[in-house]
Amino acid sequence: MLQRLVHFLPPRIRALLRRVPLLVRFYRWLRMGKLTRERNMFVGLVLLTVVLGVGATVSRAWAPPSALVLTVLGGGLLLKVRALLALLVVVVIMVGYNNWHDPREVGPGLIATLVITAVLALTLARTRQQLGVQGLRGDSMLLELRDRLRRQGEMPELPDGWDSQIVLLQAGGSSFGGDFVVSVRDGDILEVALVDVSGKGTDAGTRALMLSGAFGGLLGSLQSEQFLPAANVYLQRQRWDEGFVTAVHLVLDLSTGEYTVESAGHPPAVQFDAGSGTWQVSPAKGVVLGVVPDLRCVPEHGQLRPGDALLLYTDGLVESPGRDLDAGIDRLLGEAERLVPEGFRKGAKELVQTMAATRDDDCALILIWRT
């Protein structure tokens, strides 16, 4: 189809394509190979550039020279670097043609705008080419990964008499963060792990995406007491120099309410005792994941009775620079007192928003209660 289009060009235009060195390669490229999707987009953008460039000499109201910025942006989003450079050559030719036709149409402002846009477009094209994706596929892949991470963090359906709430709040309103949840239910046994990757926002989000799949595969496929040691071995093999990872692991028997909590460098879990109306801090503790080869944790065993609740959270809710961690936990427990009369489901999100209002860090909270 494209080869036939070239043959229909006027003889003078075909002769010009053969004589001008800069256009010879473009002319040969049009005649060779199959018409790929990128070539379609490139030809379309070239034709649009030519139409806008020639149209600016006819009517500036319908085709102003500044409209060439749109083709440059389109090239940055849809083309690879090599094709984009060829498109920029065509843009320069059209700008030169407009300047030759009427020097008043091309000013320093237009040239500066085109140069800045071209730099941004080249940056976009180079990034997409490194990822090996075309068009806007790279952005859609990130959205799919984000949605998959969120779905993986959803709590399994719980039987009557149990309820839960998960709240994740990323720093700076980012879609990605370093806190994530993995959970699995096998009959009456519920396993939940809340993991905190050091850092915040997108920087920690990339590592969280990797770990969520690995930890999700380990959870439920191993004996409950082997989960944190296996996660520690996995991180040891990665040999990351980009910070640390903490985690808290909960195993809950939904038939009896008995539970076991293990912590690996994570802030302590908190249990609400409906009988006494108080929040009790868990003594479970352990070393941060990936630091020592032999991970040993001190678990805590307890039981949730009707009206009781268990609160798991990340340090983004309680840790502040220059302040003691215990002070942050005390403030969290003070705010958590309001959950009891207002209801756990209604107040969980408000609790996270209140605690995170003065902090610039990823925050996560898991609340499981027995009705």
Side-chain angles (χ1 to χ4, degrees):
M1 178 65 182
L2 190 59
Q3 290 87 341
R4 294 178 181 178
L5 181 61
V6 173
H7 286 300
F8 280 110
L9 292 175
R12 293 184 180 180
I13 300 298
R14 282 187 287 172
L16 180 64
L17 288 174
R18 295 187 183 97
R19 292 176 182 176
V20 181
L22 292 176
L23 299 179
V24 167
R25 292 184 180 179
F26 177 61
Y27 173 75
R28 292 177 178 174
W29 181 75
L30 288 176
R31 291 178 56 86
M32 64 182 294
K34 295 182 179 181
L35 196 61
T36 62
R37 181 182 177 184
E38 184 187 9
R39 186 173 296 184
N40 268 326
M41 294 184 292
F42 173 72
V43 172
L45 289 172
V46 168
L47 293 177
L48 179 61
T49 302
V50 173
V51 170
L52 291 175
V54 175
T57 63
V58 179
S59 174
R60 294 188 62 183
W62 290 95
S66 58
L68 294 174
V69 173
L70 299 177
T71 63
V72 177
L73 283 176
L77 292 172
L78 302 173
L79 301 179
K80 294 182 180 179
V81 176
R82 185 177 179 182
L84 177 58
L85 290 174
L87 176 64
L88 292 178
V89 171
V90 179
V91 171
V92 171
I93 292 175
M94 289 298 102
V95 172
Y97 174 73
N98 289 333
N99 184 65
W100 171 78
H101 185 270
D102 187 355
R104 294 174 300 176
E105 294 183 357
V106 181
L110 175 60
I111 295 176
T113 302
L114 286 173
V115 170
I116 295 174
T117 307
V119 172
L120 293 176
L122 285 170
T123 303
L124 286 173
R126 186 177 293 109
T127 301
R128 289 187 300 99
Q129 188 166 317
Q130 291 175 348
L131 291 173
V133 296
Q134 293 184 357
L136 302 178
R137 179 57 182 165
D139 295 333
S140 61
M141 287 174 59
L142 288 176
L143 292 175
E144 291 173 5
L145 288 173
R146 181 201 64 185
D147 294 340
R148 181 173 297 182
L149 182 62
R150 289 179 177 177
R151 288 194 300 269
Q152 192 173 21
E154 295 177 355
M155 188 72 70
E157 185 178 354
L158 301 181
D160 294 339
W162 292 92
D163 208 343
S164 65
Q165 184 79 356
I166 297 178
V167 183
L168 297 174
L169 185 64
Q170 282 78 32
S174 173
S175 297
F176 297 92
D179 300 342
F180 66 91
V181 180
V182 289
S183 58
V184 64
R185 179 188 170 189
D186 184 9
D188 290 332
I189 303 300
L190 173 68
E191 287 191 61
V192 182
L194 176 59
V195 184
D196 182 5
V197 178
S198 62
K200 59 185 178 182
T202 306
D203 294 336
T206 53
R207 285 177 288 152
L209 285 171
M210 294 178 58
L211 291 180
S212 64
F215 285 13
L218 294 175
L219 193 70
S221 61
L222 299 174
Q223 296 293 328
S224 58
E225 63 273 9
Q226 297 176 354
F227 170 71
L228 286 181
N232 182 69
V233 172
Y234 175 82
L235 286 172
Q236 284 272 311
R237 293 175 179 174
Q238 304 308 307
R239 298 180 180 179
W240 282 350
D241 296 327
E242 303 174 354
F244 54 88
V245 177
T246 67
V248 59
H249 179 219
L250 167 68
V251 182
L252 175 62
D253 189 333
L254 298 173
S255 61
T256 63
E258 296 179 351
Y259 69 85
T260 300
V261 173
E262 289 184 303
S263 175
H266 208 81
V270 180
Q271 179 186 349
F272 174 71
D273 187 349
S276 61
T278 60
W279 293 87
Q280 302 172 356
V281 179
S282 169
K285 59 183 178 179
V287 182
V288 174
L289 294 176
V291 175
V292 296
D294 185 16
L295 181 69
R296 295 185 179 181
C297 301
V298 179
E300 181 212 5
H301 303 280
Q303 185 176 15
L304 293 180
R305 298 177 177 84
D308 291 357
L310 193 64
L311 183 65
L312 310 177
Y313 54 94
T314 58
D315 59 4
L317 284 179
V318 297
E319 194 173 53
S320 296
R323 295 189 60 182
D324 186 56
L325 181 62
D326 293 335
I329 296 177
D330 290 340
R331 185 190 170 206
L332 175 66
L333 297 183
E335 295 290 341
E337 291 290 342
R338 298 185 303 173
L339 293 177
V340 181
E342 294 180 1
F344 293 118
R345 175 170 291 279
K346 180 180 178 181
K349 187 174 183 179
E350 296 179 359
L351 173 62
V352 174
Q353 292 175 343
T354 301
M355 295 296 298
T358 58
R359 296 175 174 85
D360 184 22
D361 197 0
D362 299 329
C363 301
L365 177 143
I366 301 176
L367 189 60
I368 301 176
W369 66 94
R370 195 170 184 179
T371 58

mmCIF file of all heavy atoms in Angstrom, residues 259-280:
data_model
loop_
_atom_site.group_PDB
_atom_site.id
_atom_site.type_symbol
_atom_site.label_atom_id
_atom_site.label_comp_id
_atom_site.label_asym_id
_atom_site.label_seq_id
_atom_site.Cartn_x
_atom_site.Cartn_y
_atom_site.Cartn_z
ATOM 1 N N TYR A 259 -4.814 -17.058 68.223
ATOM 2 C CA TYR A 259 -3.931 -16.490 67.206
ATOM 3 C C TYR A 259 -2.480 -16.537 67.668
ATOM 4 O O TYR A 259 -2.178 -16.672 68.870
ATOM 5 C CB TYR A 259 -4.330 -15.051 66.880
ATOM 6 C CG TYR A 259 -4.087 -14.055 67.995
ATOM 7 C CD1 TYR A 259 -2.832 -13.440 68.158
ATOM 8 C CD2 TYR A 259 -5.099 -13.714 68.882
ATOM 9 C CE1 TYR A 259 -2.605 -12.524 69.175
ATOM 10 C CE2 TYR A 259 -4.889 -12.801 69.896
ATOM 11 C CZ TYR A 259 -3.642 -12.210 70.046
ATOM 12 O OH TYR A 259 -3.409 -11.312 71.060
ATOM 13 N N THR A 260 -1.598 -16.414 66.677
ATOM 14 C CA THR A 260 -0.163 -16.302 66.918
ATOM 15 C C THR A 260 0.363 -15.140 66.083
ATOM 16 O O THR A 260 0.068 -15.049 64.889
ATOM 17 C CB THR A 260 0.578 -17.593 66.525
ATOM 18 O OG1 THR A 260 0.068 -18.682 67.295
ATOM 19 C CG2 THR A 260 2.074 -17.443 66.769
ATOM 20 N N VAL A 261 1.126 -14.262 66.710
ATOM 21 C CA VAL A 261 1.707 -13.109 66.036
ATOM 22 C C VAL A 261 3.219 -13.210 66.121
ATOM 23 O O VAL A 261 3.782 -13.430 67.204
ATOM 24 C CB VAL A 261 1.240 -11.779 66.660
ATOM 25 C CG1 VAL A 261 1.999 -10.599 66.052
ATOM 26 C CG2 VAL A 261 -0.253 -11.586 66.433
ATOM 27 N N GLU A 262 3.883 -13.097 64.961
ATOM 28 C CA GLU A 262 5.343 -13.036 64.897
ATOM 29 C C GLU A 262 5.749 -11.731 64.233
ATOM 30 O O GLU A 262 5.127 -11.306 63.252
ATOM 31 C CB GLU A 262 5.904 -14.212 64.106
ATOM 32 C CG GLU A 262 5.781 -15.543 64.813
ATOM 33 C CD GLU A 262 6.432 -16.655 64.019
ATOM 34 O OE1 GLU A 262 6.040 -16.854 62.852
ATOM 35 O OE2 GLU A 262 7.348 -17.314 64.550
ATOM 36 N N SER A 263 6.794 -11.122 64.752
ATOM 37 C CA SER A 263 7.255 -9.839 64.235
ATOM 38 C C SER A 263 8.726 -9.917 63.863
ATOM 39 O O SER A 263 9.527 -10.530 64.577
ATOM 40 C CB SER A 263 7.047 -8.729 65.282
ATOM 41 O OG SER A 263 7.586 -7.505 64.836
ATOM 42 N N ALA A 264 9.061 -9.301 62.718
ATOM 43 C CA ALA A 264 10.456 -9.210 62.277
ATOM 44 C C ALA A 264 10.800 -7.731 62.134
ATOM 45 O O ALA A 264 10.656 -7.139 61.068
ATOM 46 C CB ALA A 264 10.652 -9.943 60.955
ATOM 47 N N GLY A 265 11.221 -7.137 63.250
ATOM 48 C CA GLY A 265 11.585 -5.719 63.249
ATOM 49 C C GLY A 265 10.420 -4.782 63.055
ATOM 50 O O GLY A 265 10.623 -3.605 62.736
ATOM 51 N N HIS A 266 9.203 -5.273 63.217
ATOM 52 C CA HIS A 266 8.003 -4.491 62.952
ATOM 53 C C HIS A 266 7.455 -3.900 64.253
ATOM 54 O O HIS A 266 7.664 -4.460 65.327
ATOM 55 C CB HIS A 266 6.950 -5.396 62.307
ATOM 56 C CG HIS A 266 5.988 -4.685 61.424
ATOM 57 N ND1 HIS A 266 6.278 -4.342 60.128
ATOM 58 C CD2 HIS A 266 4.731 -4.235 61.658
ATOM 59 C CE1 HIS A 266 5.236 -3.736 59.592
ATOM 60 N NE2 HIS A 266 4.291 -3.652 60.501
ATOM 61 N N PRO A 267 6.745 -2.752 64.160
ATOM 62 C CA PRO A 267 6.082 -2.229 65.366
ATOM 63 C C PRO A 267 5.143 -3.262 65.956
ATOM 64 O O PRO A 267 4.530 -4.050 65.228
ATOM 65 C CB PRO A 267 5.319 -1.006 64.833
ATOM 66 C CG PRO A 267 6.064 -0.586 63.622
ATOM 67 C CD PRO A 267 6.593 -1.851 63.009
ATOM 68 N N PRO A 268 5.001 -3.292 67.273
ATOM 69 C CA PRO A 268 4.221 -4.362 67.921
ATOM 70 C C PRO A 268 2.734 -4.275 67.593
ATOM 71 O O PRO A 268 2.165 -3.185 67.452
ATOM 72 C CB PRO A 268 4.472 -4.117 69.414
ATOM 73 C CG PRO A 268 4.808 -2.658 69.507
ATOM 74 C CD PRO A 268 5.560 -2.345 68.250
ATOM 75 N N ALA A 269 2.130 -5.451 67.455
ATOM 76 C CA ALA A 269 0.682 -5.510 67.269
ATOM 77 C C ALA A 269 -0.007 -5.087 68.561
ATOM 78 O O ALA A 269 0.587 -5.082 69.641
ATOM 79 C CB ALA A 269 0.269 -6.920 66.876
ATOM 80 N N VAL A 270 -1.282 -4.714 68.446
ATOM 81 C CA VAL A 270 -2.053 -4.240 69.601
ATOM 82 C C VAL A 270 -3.388 -4.969 69.623
ATOM 83 O O VAL A 270 -4.067 -5.066 68.594
ATOM 84 C CB VAL A 270 -2.276 -2.714 69.540
ATOM 85 C CG1 VAL A 270 -3.079 -2.253 70.743
ATOM 86 C CG2 VAL A 270 -0.953 -1.981 69.481
ATOM 87 N N GLN A 271 -3.784 -5.470 70.781
ATOM 88 C CA GLN A 271 -5.069 -6.156 70.934
ATOM 89 C C GLN A 271 -5.995 -5.340 71.818
ATOM 90 O O GLN A 271 -5.596 -4.806 72.855
ATOM 91 C CB GLN A 271 -4.882 -7.548 71.538
ATOM 92 C CG GLN A 271 -6.219 -8.278 71.741
ATOM 93 C CD GLN A 271 -6.071 -9.596 72.471
ATOM 94 O OE1 GLN A 271 -4.956 -10.083 72.665
ATOM 95 N NE2 GLN A 271 -7.189 -10.175 72.890
ATOM 96 N N PHE A 272 -7.250 -5.248 71.379
ATOM 97 C CA PHE A 272 -8.283 -4.619 72.204
ATOM 98 C C PHE A 272 -9.027 -5.702 72.971
ATOM 99 O O PHE A 272 -9.555 -6.644 72.387
ATOM 100 C CB PHE A 272 -9.267 -3.831 71.345
ATOM 101 C CG PHE A 272 -10.428 -3.273 72.121
ATOM 102 C CD1 PHE A 272 -10.249 -2.235 73.002
ATOM 103 C CD2 PHE A 272 -11.703 -3.837 71.985
ATOM 104 C CE1 PHE A 272 -11.312 -1.729 73.734
ATOM 105 C CE2 PHE A 272 -12.775 -3.344 72.701
ATOM 106 C CZ PHE A 272 -12.583 -2.280 73.583
ATOM 107 N N ASP A 273 -9.044 -5.558 74.300
ATOM 108 C CA ASP A 273 -9.734 -6.505 75.174
ATOM 109 C C ASP A 273 -11.072 -5.895 75.555
ATOM 110 O O ASP A 273 -11.136 -4.915 76.305
ATOM 111 C CB ASP A 273 -8.892 -6.778 76.418
ATOM 112 C CG ASP A 273 -9.477 -7.882 77.288
ATOM 113 O OD1 ASP A 273 -10.626 -8.285 77.032
ATOM 114 O OD2 ASP A 273 -8.799 -8.335 78.215
ATOM 115 N N ALA A 274 -12.159 -6.476 75.000
ATOM 116 C CA ALA A 274 -13.483 -5.927 75.268
ATOM 117 C C ALA A 274 -13.871 -6.070 76.731
ATOM 118 O O ALA A 274 -14.658 -5.273 77.258
ATOM 119 C CB ALA A 274 -14.520 -6.621 74.379
ATOM 120 N N GLY A 275 -13.332 -7.096 77.417
ATOM 121 C CA GLY A 275 -13.670 -7.297 78.815
ATOM 122 C C GLY A 275 -13.197 -6.156 79.697
ATOM 123 O O GLY A 275 -13.927 -5.667 80.559
ATOM 124 N N SER A 276 -11.948 -5.709 79.481
ATOM 125 C CA SER A 276 -11.387 -4.623 80.291
ATOM 126 C C SER A 276 -11.484 -3.264 79.607
ATOM 127 O O SER A 276 -11.278 -2.230 80.241
ATOM 128 C CB SER A 276 -9.915 -4.918 80.608
ATOM 129 O OG SER A 276 -9.160 -5.010 79.396
ATOM 130 N N GLY A 277 -11.785 -3.275 78.288
ATOM 131 C CA GLY A 277 -11.897 -2.016 77.554
ATOM 132 C C GLY A 277 -10.560 -1.349 77.329
ATOM 133 O O GLY A 277 -10.501 -0.122 77.157
ATOM 134 N N THR A 278 -9.472 -2.101 77.284
ATOM 135 C CA THR A 278 -8.132 -1.535 77.120
ATOM 136 C C THR A 278 -7.443 -2.143 75.906
ATOM 137 O O THR A 278 -7.785 -3.224 75.447
ATOM 138 C CB THR A 278 -7.281 -1.795 78.370
ATOM 139 O OG1 THR A 278 -7.177 -3.220 78.590
ATOM 140 C CG2 THR A 278 -7.905 -1.133 79.585
ATOM 141 N N TRP A 279 -6.412 -1.430 75.419
ATOM 142 C CA TRP A 279 -5.558 -1.902 74.329
ATOM 143 C C TRP A 279 -4.256 -2.400 74.929
ATOM 144 O O TRP A 279 -3.619 -1.717 75.728
ATOM 145 C CB TRP A 279 -5.275 -0.773 73.345
ATOM 146 C CG TRP A 279 -6.495 -0.311 72.574
ATOM 147 C CD1 TRP A 279 -7.385 0.632 72.973
ATOM 148 C CD2 TRP A 279 -6.918 -0.798 71.308
ATOM 149 N NE1 TRP A 279 -8.357 0.786 72.013
ATOM 150 C CE2 TRP A 279 -8.094 -0.072 70.977
ATOM 151 C CE3 TRP A 279 -6.446 -1.744 70.412
ATOM 152 C CZ2 TRP A 279 -8.796 -0.286 69.797
ATOM 153 C CZ3 TRP A 279 -7.127 -1.955 69.232
ATOM 154 C CH2 TRP A 279 -8.304 -1.235 68.924
ATOM 155 N N GLN A 280 -3.845 -3.602 74.527
ATOM 156 C CA GLN A 280 -2.644 -4.223 75.076
ATOM 157 C C GLN A 280 -1.621 -4.423 73.967
ATOM 158 O O GLN A 280 -1.939 -4.950 72.891
ATOM 159 C CB GLN A 280 -2.994 -5.572 75.720
ATOM 160 C CG GLN A 280 -4.037 -5.460 76.825
ATOM 161 C CD GLN A 280 -4.512 -6.815 77.327
ATOM 162 O OE1 GLN A 280 -4.104 -7.848 76.799
ATOM 163 N NE2 GLN A 280 -5.368 -6.808 78.345
#
